[in-house]
Amino acid sequence: MKRLGKAMLALLTALALYLAIAAGWAAASFDDLLARWPQDAAQAALSPRQTDILLRIEDPTFYTHHGLSLAEGQGVATISSALAREFFLEGPRLDGASGMLQAVYRRVFDCCKRIDFGRDTMALVLDARLPKERQLAMYVQSVYMGRHNGPQVRGLAGAARAYFNKPLAQLSNAETAGLVAMIKAPNDYHPVREPAAHALRLARVQAVLDGSCRPSGWFDTGYVHCAAPK
């Protein structure tokens, strides 16, 4: 028992050190990464109703949490933590020692996506440094939306053009919900290649949006108990 206790203490100490280094690196790298982030906020603008549709499904407590959340239907990621992954790990590449640490954290995340507390620590740093509206605009600009005719589709504006052939601002509520329904697994719920799976996912999302069904707990982001298309 003593050996087990010492091993647990050593593991917790190592984890705390890892998270402290991750937080320090994220804070030190933030300004450099923000300066390198592509500026395209105009195409990332959502209407109030579009914003409500996105947040109801992807991050119900976005405006009140500090980067992480345990809200019903939230799962393991918030918009802040998803953006932190893109911003710190998958976006602009850093040089020197900061770049080396970035590569290490990227490998850790690739290995342990669902239990990477480093990414979650970075989400806390990002939320403390970046206003919510800027976070939302950057997420809408960068979120992965599957592949269409070969290339990756990034951002809701790009997805509106790819899948509906119209600007994001001209999407109906149902079309916006169709894009939001994809975010959980864009290639599995692809409206062109997987129309049946997309239709089923969209019906479940619509049931949550109209209040006829609720997530059955924190980890329920699939809504499998909700309505199926008729």
Side-chain angles (χ1 to χ4, degrees):
M1 289 297 294
K2 287 185 177 180
R3 288 183 179 179
L4 180 60
K6 288 182 179 180
M8 287 296 297
L9 179 60
L11 180 62
L12 291 174
T13 300
L15 177 61
L17 180 61
Y18 170 75
L19 296 180
I21 294 172
W25 171 81
S29 303
F30 180 85
D31 289 337
D32 191 6
L33 287 167
L34 187 61
R36 301 184 190 202
W37 188 268
Q39 303 299 314
D40 193 17
Q43 292 194 33
L46 297 178
S47 71
R49 179 53 183 158
Q50 288 175 324
T51 299
D52 180 64
I53 291 170
L54 174 64
L55 297 186
R56 286 275 302 279
I57 300 303
E58 289 300 310
D59 197 341
T61 59
F62 175 69
Y63 283 110
T64 57
H65 67 59
H66 298 290
L68 304 176
S69 175
L70 299 179
E72 182 181 69
Q74 182 65 67
V76 297
T78 62
I79 282 177
S80 300
S81 64
L83 178 61
R85 180 191 67 221
E86 296 288 339
F87 183 77
F88 289 111
L89 304 180
E90 298 181 5
R93 297 295 192 257
L94 297 174
D95 304 316
S98 292
M100 292 175 62
L101 281 173
Q102 185 184 46
V104 169
Y105 294 131
R106 192 182 304 119
R107 290 192 190 99
V108 171
F109 179 76
D110 288 343
C111 168
C112 313
K113 289 180 174 63
R114 291 190 176 276
I115 55 171
D116 182 16
F117 298 116
R119 186 276 310 269
D120 295 336
T121 300
M122 294 172 198
L124 297 174
V125 173
L126 182 131
D127 192 78
R129 297 288 296 275
L130 202 63
K132 290 289 190 180
E133 292 299 339
R134 184 74 185 277
Q135 289 182 49
L136 184 61
M138 289 169 64
Y139 175 83
V140 169
Q141 175 191 355
S142 64
V143 61
Y144 176 61
M145 296 297 292
R147 289 185 175 273
H148 185 64
N149 294 331
Q152 285 189 2
V153 177
R154 286 281 177 177
L156 295 185
R161 290 190 296 270
Y163 302 122
F164 295 108
N165 195 30
K166 62 175 70 174
L168 180 60
Q170 294 182 12
L171 294 189
S172 67
N173 291 341
E175 290 168 338
T176 300
L179 294 186
V180 170
M182 293 177 64
I183 293 175
K184 176 178 170 63
N187 291 308
D188 292 342
Y189 300 125
H190 198 283
V192 178
R193 296 196 303 272
E194 303 291 343
H198 180 263
L200 179 57
R201 169 68 177 165
L202 176 56
R204 290 167 172 165
V205 164
Q206 289 282 16
V208 173
L209 290 173
D210 66 25
S212 63
C213 188
R214 293 184 57 168
S216 60
W218 174 34
F219 287 105
D220 180 22
T221 59
Y223 320 138
V224 295
H225 60 292
C226 293
K230 297 179 181 179

